[in-house]
Amino acid sequence: MSDGVNLSRRHLLRGHLKAAAPAVQLPWSLPWPEFVADCSRCGDCLSACPEQIIIKGDGGFPALDLGLGECSFCGDCASACQEPLFRPRDQRPWDYIAQITEGCLANGQVYCQRCQDSCEARAIRFIPVLGRVPTPSVDADLCTGCGACVGDCPVGSIKVASPAHKEHE
């Protein structure tokens, strides 16, 4: 028996918005449906981040903008949170890795290795090819997904995503 109430409107009025999962979630955060179910959107994680890379994303939920800088995996966002939204920090922070898209300058025969220079983990290497500009390669085993390369790319051709979301080249 229906009481004529639109449940989606009820969720809206109670502040339970359906927010799209951000491209990059906070390190050690629970899977998105669990995260948004308990996140109060208080902003404590935003103010706790020393790199200031946490932004208010869709629906006011926190997300990372790695174009603003890299994640140092300090854990301050998780420590500042009063809700049970994070996994133990003795686990890997996430499964994200850097992915270089077709827009990379090397694909246009322009010499640039800024991503390699900014990668502390040495996960990005340029492979020499006879008669061509060296092209980048990401070692998934070394890449932490910190995003240092994202903001350093002059043409924005690097993103950080789960390996399952790799763009087809």
Side-chain angles (χ1 to χ4, degrees), residues 40-124:
S40 66
R41 296 171 270 182
C42 67
D44 288 349
C45 56
L46 279 78
S47 55
C49 180
E51 286 83 14
Q52 298 298 296
I53 59 172
I54 302 175
I55 60 167
K56 282 195 178 262
D58 191 20
F61 293 101
L64 289 184
D65 183 347
L66 295 174
L68 299 173
E70 70 183 284
C71 181
S72 65
F73 305 110
C74 66
D76 289 358
C77 55
S79 296
C81 185
Q82 302 301 309
E83 305 297 335
L85 302 176
F86 294 88
R87 297 177 287 109
R89 282 184 273 168
D90 61 350
Q91 299 175 4
R92 284 181 50 121
W94 54 37
D95 68 347
Y96 300 129
I97 61 169
Q99 297 177 7
I100 300 170
T101 65
E102 288 297 316
C104 176
L105 290 173
N107 291 330
Q109 295 302 297
V110 176
Y111 184 84
C112 175
Q113 295 188 356
R114 287 179 61 171
C115 56
Q116 175 179 269
D117 296 341
S118 65
C119 183
E120 190 174 314
R122 303 285 180 236
I124 300 176

Coordinates of all heavy atoms in Angstrom, one line a residue, residues 40-124:
S40 N 28.8 13.0 7.1 CA 28.0 14.1 7.5 C 28.3 15.4 6.6 O 27.6 16.4 6.8 CB 28.1 14.4 8.9 OG 29.5 14.9 9.2
R41 N 29.3 15.3 5.8 CA 29.8 16.5 5.0 C 30.1 17.7 5.8 O 29.9 18.8 5.5 CB 28.7 16.8 4.0 CG 28.4 15.7 3.0 CD 27.3 16.0 2.1 NE 26.1 15.4 2.8 CZ 24.9 15.4 2.4 NH1 24.6 16.0 1.2 NH2 23.9 14.9 3.0
C42 N 30.7 17.4 7.0 CA 31.1 18.4 7.9 C 32.3 19.3 7.5 O 32.4 20.4 7.9 CB 31.4 17.8 9.3 SG 32.9 16.8 9.3
G43 N 33.2 18.7 6.7 CA 34.3 19.5 6.2 C 35.6 19.3 7.0 O 36.6 20.0 6.7
D44 N 35.5 18.5 8.1 CA 36.7 18.4 8.9 C 37.9 17.8 8.1 O 39.0 18.2 8.3 CB 36.4 17.4 10.1 CG 35.6 18.1 11.1 OD1 35.3 19.3 11.1 OD2 35.1 17.3 12.0
C45 N 37.6 16.9 7.2 CA 38.7 16.4 6.4 C 39.3 17.4 5.4 O 40.6 17.4 5.2 CB 38.3 15.2 5.6 SG 36.8 15.5 4.5
L46 N 38.5 18.3 5.0 CA 39.0 19.4 4.1 C 40.0 20.3 4.8 O 41.1 20.6 4.3 CB 37.9 20.3 3.5 CG 37.1 19.7 2.4 CD1 36.1 18.7 2.7 CD2 36.4 20.9 1.7
S47 N 39.6 20.7 6.0 CA 40.5 21.6 6.8 C 41.7 20.9 7.3 O 42.7 21.5 7.6 CB 39.7 22.3 7.9 OG 39.1 21.4 8.7
A48 N 41.7 19.6 7.5 CA 42.8 18.8 8.0 C 43.9 18.5 7.0 O 45.0 18.3 7.4 CB 42.3 17.5 8.6
C49 N 43.5 18.6 5.7 CA 44.5 18.2 4.7 C 45.6 19.3 4.5 O 45.3 20.4 4.1 CB 43.8 18.0 3.4 SG 44.8 17.6 2.0
P50 N 46.8 18.9 4.8 CA 47.9 19.9 4.7 C 48.2 20.3 3.3 O 48.7 21.4 3.0 CB 49.1 19.2 5.3 CG 48.8 17.7 5.3 CD 47.3 17.6 5.3
E51 N 47.9 19.4 2.3 CA 48.1 19.7 0.9 C 46.9 20.6 0.3 O 47.0 21.0 -0.8 CB 48.3 18.5 0.1 CG 49.7 17.8 0.3 CD 49.7 16.9 1.5 OE1 48.6 16.6 2.1 OE2 50.8 16.6 2.0
Q52 N 45.8 20.6 1.0 CA 44.6 21.4 0.6 C 44.1 20.9 -0.8 O 43.8 21.6 -1.7 CB 44.9 22.9 0.5 CG 45.3 23.5 1.8 CD 44.1 23.4 2.8 OE1 43.1 23.9 2.6 NE2 44.3 22.6 3.9
I53 N 44.1 19.5 -1.0 CA 43.7 18.9 -2.2 C 42.3 18.3 -2.1 O 41.8 17.8 -3.0 CB 44.7 17.9 -2.7 CG1 44.9 16.8 -1.7 CG2 46.0 18.5 -3.1 CD1 45.7 15.6 -2.2
I54 N 41.7 18.3 -0.9 CA 40.4 17.8 -0.7 C 39.4 18.9 -0.9 O 39.5 20.0 -0.4 CB 40.2 17.2 0.7 CG1 41.2 16.1 1.0 CG2 38.7 16.7 0.9 CD1 41.1 15.6 2.4
I55 N 38.4 18.6 -1.8 CA 37.4 19.6 -2.2 C 36.0 19.1 -1.9 O 35.8 17.9 -1.6 CB 37.5 20.0 -3.7 CG1 37.3 18.7 -4.5 CG2 38.8 20.6 -4.0 CD1 37.0 19.0 -6.0
K56 N 35.0 19.9 -1.8 CA 33.6 19.5 -1.7 C 33.2 19.1 -3.1 O 33.2 19.9 -4.1 CB 32.7 20.6 -1.2 CG 32.8 20.8 0.3 CD 31.7 21.6 0.8 CE 31.8 21.8 2.3 NZ 30.9 20.8 3.0
G57 N 32.9 17.8 -3.3 CA 32.5 17.3 -4.6 C 31.0 17.3 -4.7 O 30.3 18.0 -4.0
D58 N 30.5 16.4 -5.6 CA 29.1 16.2 -5.8 C 28.3 16.0 -4.5 O 28.7 15.1 -3.7 CB 28.9 15.1 -6.8 CG 27.5 15.0 -7.4 OD1 26.8 16.0 -7.4 OD2 27.1 13.9 -7.9
G59 N 27.3 16.7 -4.3 CA 26.5 16.6 -3.1 C 27.1 17.1 -1.8 O 26.7 16.9 -0.7
G60 N 28.3 17.8 -2.0 CA 29.0 18.3 -0.8 C 29.9 17.2 -0.1 O 30.5 17.5 0.9
F61 N 30.0 16.0 -0.8 CA 30.9 15.0 -0.2 C 32.3 15.3 -0.6 O 32.6 15.8 -1.7 CB 30.5 13.6 -0.7 CG 29.1 13.2 -0.2 CD1 28.0 13.3 -1.0 CD2 29.0 12.7 1.1 CE1 26.7 12.9 -0.5 CE2 27.7 12.3 1.6 CZ 26.6 12.4 0.8
P62 N 33.3 14.9 0.3 CA 34.7 15.2 0.0 C 35.2 14.3 -1.2 O 34.9 13.2 -1.3 CB 35.4 14.9 1.3 CG 34.5 13.9 2.0 CD 33.1 14.3 1.6
A63 N 36.1 15.0 -1.9 CA 36.8 14.3 -3.1 C 38.2 14.9 -3.2 O 38.4 16.0 -2.7 CB 36.0 14.5 -4.4
L64 N 39.0 14.2 -3.9 CA 40.4 14.7 -4.1 C 40.5 15.4 -5.4 O 40.0 14.8 -6.4 CB 41.4 13.6 -4.0 CG 41.7 13.0 -2.6 CD1 42.8 12.0 -2.7 CD2 42.1 14.1 -1.6
D65 N 41.1 16.5 -5.5 CA 41.5 17.1 -6.8 C 43.0 17.1 -6.9 O 43.7 18.0 -6.3 CB 40.9 18.6 -6.8 CG 41.2 19.3 -8.1 OD1 42.0 18.8 -8.9 OD2 40.6 20.3 -8.3
L66 N 43.5 16.1 -7.5 CA 44.9 15.9 -7.7 C 45.6 17.0 -8.6 O 46.8 17.1 -8.7 CB 45.3 14.5 -8.1 CG 44.9 13.5 -7.0 CD1 45.1 12.1 -7.6 CD2 45.6 13.7 -5.7
G67 N 44.8 17.7 -9.3 CA 45.3 18.8 -10.1 C 45.8 20.0 -9.2 O 46.6 20.8 -9.6
L68 N 45.4 19.9 -7.9 CA 45.9 21.0 -7.0 C 47.2 20.6 -6.3 O 47.8 21.4 -5.6 CB 44.8 21.2 -5.9 CG 43.4 21.7 -6.4 CD1 42.4 21.7 -5.2 CD2 43.6 23.1 -7.0
G69 N 47.5 19.3 -6.4 CA 48.7 18.8 -5.7 C 48.6 17.3 -5.5 O 47.7 16.7 -5.8
E70 N 49.7 16.8 -4.9 CA 49.7 15.3 -4.6 C 49.3 15.0 -3.2 O 49.3 15.8 -2.3 CB 51.2 14.8 -4.8 CG 52.1 15.3 -3.8 CD 53.5 14.8 -4.1 OE1 53.8 13.6 -3.8 OE2 54.3 15.7 -4.5
C71 N 48.8 13.8 -3.1 CA 48.5 13.2 -1.8 C 49.7 12.6 -1.1 O 50.4 11.8 -1.7 CB 47.4 12.2 -1.9 SG 46.9 11.5 -0.3
S72 N 50.0 13.1 0.1 CA 51.2 12.6 0.8 C 50.9 11.3 1.7 O 51.8 10.8 2.3 CB 51.8 13.7 1.7 OG 50.9 14.0 2.7
F73 N 49.6 11.0 1.7 CA 49.1 9.8 2.5 C 49.5 10.0 4.0 O 49.9 9.1 4.6 CB 49.7 8.5 2.0 CG 49.4 8.2 0.5 CD1 50.4 8.3 -0.5 CD2 48.1 8.0 0.1 CE1 50.1 8.1 -1.8 CE2 47.8 7.8 -1.3 CZ 48.9 7.9 -2.2
C74 N 49.3 11.2 4.4 CA 49.6 11.6 5.8 C 48.5 11.0 6.8 O 48.8 10.7 7.9 CB 49.7 13.1 6.0 SG 48.2 14.0 5.7
G75 N 47.3 10.8 6.2 CA 46.2 10.2 7.1 C 45.5 11.3 7.9 O 44.6 10.9 8.7
D76 N 45.8 12.5 7.7 CA 45.1 13.6 8.5 C 43.6 13.6 8.2 O 42.8 13.9 9.1 CB 45.8 14.9 8.3 CG 47.2 15.1 8.9 OD1 47.6 14.1 9.6 OD2 47.8 16.1 8.7
C77 N 43.2 13.4 7.0 CA 41.8 13.4 6.7 C 41.1 12.3 7.5 O 40.0 12.6 8.0 CB 41.6 13.2 5.2 SG 42.3 11.8 4.4
A78 N 41.6 11.1 7.5 CA 41.0 10.0 8.3 C 41.0 10.3 9.8 O 40.0 10.0 10.4 CB 41.8 8.7 8.0
S79 N 42.1 10.9 10.3 CA 42.2 11.2 11.7 C 41.2 12.2 12.1 O 40.7 12.2 13.2 CB 43.6 11.6 12.1 OG 44.5 10.6 11.8
A80 N 40.9 13.2 11.2 CA 40.0 14.3 11.6 C 38.5 13.9 11.5 O 37.7 14.5 12.1 CB 40.2 15.4 10.6
C81 N 38.3 12.8 10.9 CA 36.9 12.3 10.7 C 36.3 11.7 11.9 O 36.9 10.8 12.5 CB 36.8 11.3 9.5 SG 35.1 10.9 9.1
Q82 N 35.1 12.1 12.3 CA 34.4 11.6 13.5 C 33.5 10.4 13.2 O 33.0 9.8 14.1 CB 33.6 12.7 14.2 CG 34.4 13.9 14.6 CD 35.5 13.6 15.6 OE1 35.3 13.0 16.6 NE2 36.7 14.0 15.2
E83 N 33.4 10.1 11.9 CA 32.5 9.0 11.5 C 33.4 7.8 11.1 O 34.6 7.9 10.8 CB 31.7 9.5 10.2 CG 30.9 10.7 10.4 CD 29.8 10.7 11.5 OE1 29.4 9.6 11.7 OE2 29.5 11.7 12.0
P84 N 32.8 6.6 11.1 CA 33.5 5.4 10.7 C 33.6 5.2 9.2 O 33.0 4.3 8.6 CB 32.7 4.3 11.4 CG 31.3 4.8 11.3 CD 31.4 6.3 11.5
L85 N 34.4 6.1 8.5 CA 34.4 6.1 7.1 C 35.7 5.6 6.5 O 35.8 5.6 5.3 CB 34.2 7.6 6.6 CG 32.9 8.2 7.0 CD1 32.8 9.7 6.6 CD2 31.7 7.5 6.5
F86 N 36.6 5.2 7.3 CA 37.9 4.9 6.8 C 38.4 3.5 7.3 O 38.1 3.1 8.4 CB 39.0 5.9 7.2 CG 38.7 7.2 6.6 CD1 37.9 8.2 7.2 CD2 39.3 7.6 5.4 CE1 37.6 9.4 6.6 CE2 39.1 8.8 4.8 CZ 38.2 9.7 5.4
R87 N 39.1 2.8 6.4 CA 39.7 1.5 6.7 C 41.0 1.8 7.5 O 41.5 2.9 7.5 CB 40.1 0.8 5.4 CG 38.9 0.4 4.6 CD 39.3 -0.3 3.3 NE 39.9 0.7 2.3 CZ 41.2 0.7 2.0 NH1 42.0 -0.2 2.5 NH2 41.7 1.6 1.1
P88 N 41.5 0.7 8.2 CA 42.8 0.9 8.9 C 43.9 1.3 8.0 O 44.0 0.9 6.9 CB 43.0 -0.5 9.5 CG 41.7 -1.2 9.5 CD 40.9 -0.6 8.3
R89 N 44.8 2.2 8.5 CA 45.8 2.8 7.7 C 47.0 1.8 7.6 O 48.0 2.2 6.9 CB 46.2 4.1 8.3 CG 45.2 5.2 7.9 CD 45.6 6.5 8.3 NE 45.1 6.7 9.7 CZ 45.5 7.6 10.4 NH1 46.3 8.5 10.1 NH2 45.0 7.7 11.7
D90 N 47.0 0.6 8.1 CA 48.0 -0.3 7.8 C 47.8 -1.0 6.5 O 48.6 -1.8 6.0 CB 48.2 -1.3 9.0 CG 47.0 -2.2 9.2 OD1 45.9 -1.9 8.6 OD2 47.1 -3.1 10.0
Q91 N 46.7 -0.7 5.8 CA 46.3 -1.3 4.5 C 46.7 -0.3 3.4 O 47.0 0.9 3.7 CB 44.8 -1.5 4.4 CG 44.3 -2.5 5.4 CD 42.8 -2.6 5.3 OE1 42.1 -2.0 4.5 NE2 42.2 -3.4 6.2
R92 N 46.8 -0.7 2.2 CA 47.0 0.2 1.1 C 46.0 1.3 1.1 O 44.8 1.0 1.3 CB 47.0 -0.6 -0.3 CG 48.2 -1.4 -0.5 CD 48.1 -2.1 -1.9 NE 47.7 -1.1 -2.9 CZ 48.4 -0.9 -4.0 NH1 49.5 -1.5 -4.2 NH2 48.0 0.0 -4.9
P93 N 46.4 2.5 0.8 CA 45.4 3.6 0.8 C 44.3 3.5 -0.3 O 43.2 3.9 -0.1 CB 46.2 4.9 0.6 CG 47.5 4.4 0.1 CD 47.7 3.0 0.5
W94 N 44.7 2.9 -1.4 CA 43.7 2.7 -2.5 C 44.4 1.9 -3.6 O 45.6 1.6 -3.5 CB 43.2 4.0 -3.1 CG 44.3 5.0 -3.5 CD1 45.5 4.8 -4.1 CD2 44.2 6.5 -3.3 NE1 46.2 5.9 -4.3 CE2 45.4 7.0 -3.9 CE3 43.3 7.3 -2.8 CZ2 45.7 8.4 -3.9 CZ3 43.6 8.7 -2.8 CH2 44.8 9.2 -3.3
D95 N 43.6 1.7 -4.7 CA 44.2 0.9 -5.8 C 44.4 1.8 -7.0 O 44.6 1.3 -8.1 CB 43.4 -0.3 -6.1 CG 42.0 0.0 -6.7 OD1 41.6 1.2 -6.6 OD2 41.4 -0.9 -7.3
Y96 N 44.4 3.1 -6.9 CA 44.5 4.0 -8.0 C 46.0 4.0 -8.5 O 46.9 3.9 -7.7 CB 44.2 5.4 -7.6 CG 42.8 5.7 -7.1 CD1 42.5 6.3 -5.9 CD2 41.7 5.2 -7.9 CE1 41.3 6.5 -5.5 CE2 40.4 5.4 -7.4 CZ 40.2 6.1 -6.2 OH 38.9 6.3 -5.8
I97 N 46.1 4.2 -9.8 CA 47.4 4.4 -10.4 C 47.3 5.5 -11.5 O 46.3 5.8 -11.9 CB 48.0 3.1 -11.0 CG1 47.1 2.6 -12.2 CG2 48.3 2.1 -10.0 CD1 47.7 1.5 -13.0
A98 N 48.5 6.1 -11.8 CA 48.5 7.1 -12.9 C 48.3 6.4 -14.2 O 48.7 5.3 -14.5 CB 49.9 7.8 -12.8
Q99 N 47.5 7.1 -15.0 CA 47.3 6.7 -16.4 C 47.5 7.8 -17.4 O 47.0 8.9 -17.1 CB 45.8 6.1 -16.5 CG 45.6 5.0 -15.6 CD 44.2 4.5 -15.6 OE1 43.4 4.9 -16.4 NE2 43.9 3.5 -14.7
I100 N 48.3 7.6 -18.4 CA 48.7 8.6 -19.3 C 47.8 8.4 -20.6 O 47.7 7.3 -21.1 CB 50.2 8.5 -19.7 CG1 51.0 8.7 -18.4 CG2 50.5 9.6 -20.7 CD1 52.4 8.4 -18.5
T101 N 47.1 9.5 -20.9 CA 46.2 9.4 -22.0 C 46.8 9.8 -23.4 O 48.0 10.2 -23.4 CB 45.0 10.3 -21.8 OG1 45.4 11.7 -21.8 CG2 44.3 10.0 -20.5
E102 N 46.1 9.7 -24.4 CA 46.6 9.9 -25.8 C 47.1 11.4 -26.0 O 47.8 11.7 -26.9 CB 45.5 9.6 -26.8 CG 45.3 8.1 -27.0 CD 46.6 7.4 -27.5 OE1 47.2 7.9 -28.4 OE2 46.9 6.3 -26.9
G103 N 46.6 12.3 -25.1 CA 47.0 13.7 -25.2 C 48.4 14.0 -24.8 O 48.8 15.2 -24.9
C104 N 49.1 13.0 -24.4 CA 50.5 13.2 -23.9 C 51.3 13.8 -25.0 O 51.2 13.5 -26.2 CB 51.1 11.9 -23.5 SG 52.9 11.9 -23.1
L105 N 52.1 14.8 -24.7 CA 53.0 15.5 -25.7 C 53.9 14.6 -26.4 O 54.2 14.8 -27.6 CB 53.8 16.6 -25.0 CG 53.0 17.8 -24.5 CD1 53.9 18.7 -23.6 CD2 52.3 18.6 -25.6
A106 N 54.4 13.6 -25.8 CA 55.3 12.6 -26.4 C 54.6 12.0 -27.6 O 55.2 11.6 -28.6 CB 55.8 11.5 -25.5
N107 N 53.3 11.7 -27.6 CA 52.5 11.2 -28.7 C 52.5 12.1 -29.9 O 52.3 11.7 -31.0 CB 51.1 10.8 -28.3 CG 51.1 9.6 -27.3 OD1 52.0 8.7 -27.4 ND2 50.2 9.5 -26.5
G108 N 52.7 13.4 -29.6 CA 52.8 14.4 -30.7 C 54.2 14.7 -31.1 O 54.5 15.8 -31.7
Q109 N 55.2 13.9 -30.6 CA 56.6 14.1 -30.9 C 57.1 15.4 -30.3 O 58.0 16.0 -30.8 CB 56.9 14.1 -32.4 CG 56.6 12.7 -33.0 CD 57.4 11.6 -32.4 OE1 58.6 11.6 -32.4 NE2 56.7 10.7 -31.7
V110 N 56.6 15.7 -29.1 CA 57.1 16.9 -28.3 C 57.8 16.3 -27.1 O 57.2 15.5 -26.3 CB 56.0 17.8 -27.9 CG1 56.5 18.9 -27.0 CG2 55.3 18.4 -29.1
Y111 N 59.1 16.7 -26.9 CA 59.8 16.2 -25.8 C 59.4 16.8 -24.5 O 59.5 18.0 -24.3 CB 61.3 16.5 -26.0 CG 62.2 15.8 -24.9 CD1 62.6 14.5 -25.0 CD2 62.6 16.6 -23.8 CE1 63.4 13.9 -24.0 CE2 63.4 16.0 -22.9 CZ 63.8 14.7 -23.0 OH 64.6 14.1 -22.0
C112 N 58.9 16.0 -23.5 CA 58.5 16.5 -22.2 C 58.6 15.3 -21.3 O 58.1 14.2 -21.6 CB 57.1 17.0 -22.2 SG 56.4 17.4 -20.6
Q113 N 59.2 15.5 -20.2 CA 59.3 14.4 -19.2 C 59.0 14.9 -17.8 O 59.6 14.4 -16.8 CB 60.7 13.7 -19.3 CG 60.9 13.0 -20.6 CD 62.2 12.2 -20.6 OE1 63.0 12.2 -19.7 NE2 62.4 11.5 -21.7
R114 N 58.2 15.9 -17.7 CA 57.8 16.4 -16.4 C 57.2 15.4 -15.4 O 57.5 15.4 -14.2 CB 56.9 17.7 -16.6 CG 57.7 18.8 -17.1 CD 56.8 20.0 -17.3 NE 56.2 20.5 -16.1 CZ 55.6 21.6 -16.0 NH1 55.4 22.4 -17.0 NH2 55.1 22.0 -14.8
C115 N 56.4 14.5 -16.0 CA 55.7 13.5 -15.1 C 56.8 12.6 -14.5 O 56.7 12.3 -13.3 CB 54.7 12.7 -15.9 SG 55.3 11.9 -17.4
Q116 N 57.8 12.2 -15.3 CA 58.8 11.4 -14.7 C 59.6 12.1 -13.7 O 59.9 11.6 -12.6 CB 59.8 10.9 -15.9 CG 61.0 10.2 -15.4 CD 61.9 9.7 -16.5 OE1 61.7 8.7 -17.0 NE2 62.8 10.6 -16.9
D117 N 59.9 13.4 -13.9 CA 60.6 14.2 -12.9 C 59.9 14.4 -11.6 O 60.5 14.5 -10.6 CB 61.0 15.6 -13.5 CG 61.9 15.4 -14.7 OD1 62.6 14.4 -14.9 OD2 62.0 16.4 -15.5
S118 N 58.6 14.4 -11.7 CA 57.8 14.7 -10.5 C 57.4 13.4 -9.7 O 56.9 13.5 -8.6 CB 56.5 15.4 -10.8 OG 55.7 14.6 -11.6
C119 N 57.7 12.2 -10.3 CA 57.4 11.0 -9.7 C 58.4 10.5 -8.7 O 59.5 9.9 -9.1 CB 57.1 9.9 -10.8 SG 56.6 8.3 -10.1
E120 N 58.2 10.7 -7.4 CA 59.1 10.3 -6.4 C 59.3 8.8 -6.4 O 60.4 8.2 -6.1 CB 58.7 10.8 -5.0 CG 59.7 10.6 -4.0 CD 59.3 11.2 -2.7 OE1 58.8 12.4 -2.7 OE2 59.4 10.6 -1.6
A121 N 58.3 8.0 -6.7 CA 58.3 6.6 -6.6 C 59.0 6.0 -7.9 O 59.3 4.8 -7.9 CB 56.9 6.0 -6.6
R122 N 59.4 6.8 -8.8 CA 60.0 6.4 -10.1 C 59.2 5.4 -10.9 O 59.7 4.5 -11.5 CB 61.4 5.9 -9.8 CG 62.3 6.8 -9.1 CD 62.8 7.9 -10.1 NE 63.7 8.8 -9.4 CZ 63.5 10.1 -9.4 NH1 62.4 10.6 -9.9 NH2 64.3 10.9 -8.8
A123 N 57.9 5.6 -10.8 CA 57.0 4.7 -11.5 C 56.8 5.0 -12.9 O 56.3 4.2 -13.7 CB 55.6 4.7 -10.8
I124 N 57.1 6.3 -13.3 CA 57.0 6.7 -14.7 C 58.3 6.7 -15.3 O 59.2 7.4 -14.8 CB 56.3 8.1 -14.8 CG1 54.9 8.0 -14.2 CG2 56.2 8.5 -16.3 CD1 54.2 9.3 -14.2

